[in-house]
Amino acid sequence: MIYDEAGSMRFFTSLVTSGSLTACARKLQTSPATISRHLSRLERRIGTQLILRNTRYFGLSENGRIYYERALEILAAIDGLEEEISSNMHIARGVIGIGAPVELGRRVIAPFLEGFSAENPDLLVNLALASEGFYDTSDSLDVVLRLGVPDSPDAIVTRLASSVRVLCASPEYLAKRSPPLSPSDLLKHDCLCLRRNKTMELMNRWLIGNTIKTEIITVEPRLSSTHAEIIHDWALSGQGIAYKLLSDVYQDLEQGRLVRIFPDLQGEKIDLYAVLPNKKYIQASVRAFLKDIKPFIKGSGFF
């Protein structure tokens, strides 16, 4: 009988990372009984128990730990070989996982991926979005787009573009409130502030200025959220003044849904980075993505 060794290894690593038969069954869209039978066949073929399990415990045996660690190495080598051959052929194929902050991902990256996918029909594209775009290599992503300097010492980092924060509000808000005449006037206005996810740290120190003078205004928000798109929606609905990335609001500014306050001044500059896991080579799909995304984002409020 011919066994699919690589398939068995992929099954086992998926089972271990899932943490239970039930979770693995959901992930693989099958039943826990099927997962249990597959595991039992694998253990019989190898001749040892790989997972210690009962109604209250699910964990690797010593032999299971060895099998799991070696399986990860072997599968990485197989995937690397396939990607290397694909890279040598300069064909973007297989699967590419891309991570991005929610607002950037929805407004810029998702529209880009529609055309990118059409131009690379052999490539399966997965887009994962997180509130601040923070991921690590354990998230099974090939490239992560991140605003601000990454803190991953082992990663490959490429700066793609820059944007700046700007002050903006809806015409309706500015019609009912006297527009601020100087940055210090912001203290008299309803401000909309972002909070960092998990820590709830308030991002209320707004830098605004030019090459001659820069000020930092600490505002007290009327409304705050950990979600950048909610801040955006509040600004559109006339709830107050927001301190937004130009790349997030440039279309609203062009179409008059938002008005830029102090158009001769700007806030802090933010760089957009592509972060890649530290690998010996960059797969063809990632190279194609980076090559095509750079000119696209130049027309999306970046420079």
Side-chain angles (χ1 to χ4, degrees):
M1 180 181 295
I2 299 176
Y3 292 101
D4 180 7
E5 300 284 357
S8 294
M9 291 180 188
R10 292 190 191 279
F11 158 77
F12 187 74
T13 57
S14 179
L15 175 58
V16 173
T17 56
S18 296
S20 71
L21 298 178
T22 301
C24 185
R26 286 198 300 266
K27 182 177 180 180
L28 300 181
Q29 296 183 337
T30 186
S31 67
T34 299
I35 298 299
S36 179
R37 288 194 297 270
H38 195 162
L39 175 60
S40 297
R41 286 197 299 269
L42 177 60
E43 290 177 328
R44 285 197 302 270
R45 179 162 61 83
I46 294 177
T48 186
Q49 188 174 15
L50 299 176
I51 291 183
L52 305 175
R53 55 199 185 276
N54 55 41
T55 55
R56 294 187 176 182
Y57 182 78
F58 180 94
L60 289 169
S61 67
E62 180 58 22
N63 285 334
R65 181 189 61 79
I66 295 172
Y67 184 84
Y68 174 68
E69 292 175 352
R70 290 291 291 131
L72 289 177
E73 295 174 3
I74 292 169
L75 292 173
I78 292 173
D79 293 341
L81 175 60
E82 293 178 353
E83 288 291 348
E84 185 175 354
I85 297 301
S86 176
S87 297
N88 289 339
M89 295 174 63
H90 304 287
I91 297 175
R93 60 175 51 168
V95 181
I96 181 173
I98 301 161
V102 173
E103 191 160 14
L104 173 70
R106 190 178 73 82
R107 296 181 185 275
V108 178
I109 307 305
F112 162 77
L113 290 177
E114 294 177 9
F116 179 73
S117 177
E119 293 176 0
N120 297 276
D122 295 327
L123 185 62
L124 176 61
V125 181
N126 296 326
L127 177 61
L129 303 181
S131 60
E132 294 177 331
F134 293 166
Y135 301 91
D136 56 42
T137 54
S138 65
D139 291 307
S140 301
L141 297 172
D142 300 295
V143 56
V144 172
L145 302 179
R146 171 176 170 147
L147 294 163
V149 179
D151 53 4
S152 305
D154 298 329
I156 302 170
V157 178
T158 301
R159 192 181 74 84
L160 298 177
S162 299
S163 188
V164 292
R165 296 194 186 277
V166 298
L167 292 165
C168 57
S170 70
E172 292 75 18
Y173 175 82
L174 295 176
K176 65 183 180 182
R177 298 287 298 271
S178 298
L181 300 178
S182 68
S184 61
D185 287 344
L186 293 169
L187 300 176
K188 306 172 186 176
H189 279 265
D190 296 333
C191 295
L192 312 172
C193 287
L194 193 65
R195 290 182 181 272
R196 294 199 182 280
N197 198 28
K198 296 182 181 180
T199 66
M200 296 300 289
E201 175 189 354
L202 185 61
M203 300 170 65
N204 65 334
R205 289 169 55 82
W206 292 358
L207 182 149
I208 190 75
N210 53 31
T211 56
I212 299 174
K213 180 182 179 181
T214 297
E215 298 181 61
I216 296 178
I217 306 297
T218 302
V219 301
E220 289 298 326
R222 187 172 72 87
L223 293 169
S224 64
S225 174
T226 60
H227 204 302
E229 280 202 299
I230 291 178
I231 301 296
H232 194 153
D233 291 342
W234 280 338
L236 288 171
S237 66
Q239 298 304 308
I241 297 174
Y243 188 56
K244 292 288 296 177
L245 275 176
L246 180 59
S247 55
D248 289 338
V249 298
Y250 80 102
Q251 289 183 327
D252 296 306
L253 294 173
E254 288 181 348
Q255 297 172 16
R257 291 188 293 268
L258 291 175
V259 176
R260 183 168 173 178
I261 299 170
F262 308 134
D264 295 332
L265 304 178
Q266 63 184 38
E268 61 182 318
K269 177 183 174 183
I270 303 293
D271 291 325
L272 174 65
Y273 292 91
V275 184
L276 283 62
N278 187 7
K279 295 182 178 179
K280 293 182 179 179
Y281 63 91
I282 300 175
Q283 62 201 58
S285 57
V286 173
R287 287 203 305 270
F289 172 80
L290 295 178
K291 177 179 69 69
D292 291 351
I293 192 66
K294 286 184 178 181
F296 183 88
I297 60 178
K298 293 296 184 181
S300 303
F302 287 93
F303 53 88

